Each structure stands twice: as C-alpha cells, then as structure tokens.
Amino acid sequence: MKVTEHIKKANGKTLFSFEIIPPTKGKNIQELYDNIDPLMEFEPPFIDVTTSREEYVYIDRNGLFDRKITRMRPGTVGICAAIKHKYNVDTIPHVLCGGFSKEETEYLLVDCHYLGIENVMALRGDAMSHQKFFEPSNGGHHYACDLVKQIQNLNKGKYLHDVIEADDKADFCVGVAGYPEKHVEAPSLNSDLKRLKEKVDAGADYVVTQMFFDNSKYFEFVKEARNAGIDVPIIPGIKPIAISRHLQMLPQVFKIDIPEPLISAVEKCKNNKEVRQVGIEWCIQQSKELMEGGAPVLHYYSMGKSSNIERIAKAVF
C-alpha cells in the first residue's frame, strides 16, 4: 500500500514509522531484525531503509596506495524485500541522485517494481567526503526534482530509452525531503520552499522533514508550505538526542538549532545514560505535541537502534 493510502486509511489518526540503516558489509541482518522486533508492537505501516553513498578507500599495495570506490552499507533493496517478507510491512528504499547514473536508477526501480515495493524516497544525497559541494555522478541527476521526474516517467511506462506499453506499469508513491530550518545550501527558507514546490509539482506525493527539536519550526514550515501551494502530507522526522556530543554534532552536520532548555538539560547530565533519558523525555513531549497538532505520521530516525524509540513509542502510541 502507498504511504498516502496509509495516511488516508488512518482517517486522522497519527501513524508510527521509523527509518533504519543497512548493516555494514560483513554484519548479519539478524542484528537489524533484533532492533526492528520491539517496534513492530506499534504497528508501523511502513519502514524506511536508507541508501549510502559510495566512498573512497585506500588499499595498500606494497607501500603504494590505490584509491577505490566502495559502498560500506550496500543492500538497501534486498533489505527492503527481506523486511517486507518477514514482517508483512511496506518498505521504502531511499533512491539517491549521488552515486547513481540514470540507468542504474532505472534498474533499481525495476527491481523494486518486481518485488512489489510501491513507495520510494527520492533524495539528492550529500556530497562525498572529499567534495566541498555536491557533484552529480557521471550520467546521474543533479537535483532530486529530476529524480522525481524520472520515477514518474517510469510510472507512465516511459523508460530512459524506450516507451513500453504494458498492463503492469510501475505506480510508485514518491516521498521527498523537506527542511523546516532550510537546507544548508539554500540561501533562504523561502527559496528552499520553492525547490520543494518544484519537487511536488514534478510528482512527489508526500514530504518527510529533516529532524528538528523545536516543534514551532515544523508547524511554521507546514503553514508556509501550504501558503506556497504544497498540499501533500508533510511528515515530521524526529530523532531523540542520545549522547552529549549530539549538541555539537547535530547542528554542525544538519545545520539545525537545538532549543536552550534541551541544551541546558543535557549539559547538566553526568553521563550519556542521563543524556539518553533526557532525549527520550524531550522526544516524548515533542511527539505528543506533534500528534495533537495533527501530524499525519511520526517518523523516527532510529539509526538501527530501537531501545529509546521503543520507550518513546510506548508513551505516545
């Protein structure tokens, strides 16, 4: 079932969902299952699975270093299929511009269609570690808007090099990212909303936001998006603070603000166990307020760990 159908079927009830990351190469998928198992009690209608960009590694060959490209967390589509089969839940693979040519994207989408995966999350992706700014891969898309267009073309039977008349066309529901505190590269929030409107006009069916810790940022973002003519569901993305280093790391990486009361509470903690508890309590209150404000889904960035998300969900759902 499509994400938009799940939301419509809920008839105003706020749904629970979460996002996981594939294990690194050499790890067993059972660890992932062990973290998903406790969260199935809350009946998530869908689970997101991230896709990692390629990265460079240096291989020592008798004192000379060869630079090779690798993916440390491959297997997004395979994990989606495994989770879908094991838990009978819809899964949503993240599809990136970065690291993929248009042809590779088409192959991935065809695989998803064969597997009965009806939803995809279309993202530009980040720059590689050695790049100052995002650079598209050879033959790949520069913007998520263009990726959305490719997916919608495939929904119409328009492949990159063919138009295929068939009864069994893909019919993907497409999610895109939104930024309540604007994308780091956007010159203003207004210009960022224009880019989001372009993605929706291209065929995006729903929006999932970047994490935030101040709910007023989400509610204002939804208001401004509606004023801009964006009428698709806007799902808040939420992450509980878990370690003291998050106070520096999260604003640096994601360019988001952390409210002063949360900063003060974390700074009073003696260890990360106490920080984790503060993060859980803050996220519970944040979740309840978002639910009361009519959020269609609460989407948690679990990073593959479930214990704090489980405690939050028990208090909210």
Side-chain angles (χ1 to χ4, degrees), residues 17-36:
S17 74
F18 59 95
E19 181 175 302
I20 59 172
I21 58 176
T24 54
K25 289 187 292 189
K27 293 287 184 68
N28 193 297
I29 196 171
Q30 186 59 47
E31 182 179 343
L32 201 56
Y33 292 155
D34 291 343
N35 280 286
I36 292 173

Side-chain angles (χ1 to χ4, degrees), residues 12 22 34 50 81 94 124 175 180 220 225 271 279 312:
D34 291 343
T50 67
H94 289 194
R124 189 199 69 176
E220 183 65 22
N271 51 53
I312 293 162

Side-chain angles (χ1 to χ4, degrees), residues 151-171:
I151 297 167
Q152 291 297 354
N153 280 338
L154 194 139
N155 282 347
K156 299 170 186 173
K158 297 179 181 178
Y159 292 74
L160 290 173
H161 308 301
D162 304 281
V163 176
I164 299 176
E165 297 296 334
D167 294 331
D168 187 30
K169 292 179 183 176
D171 187 20

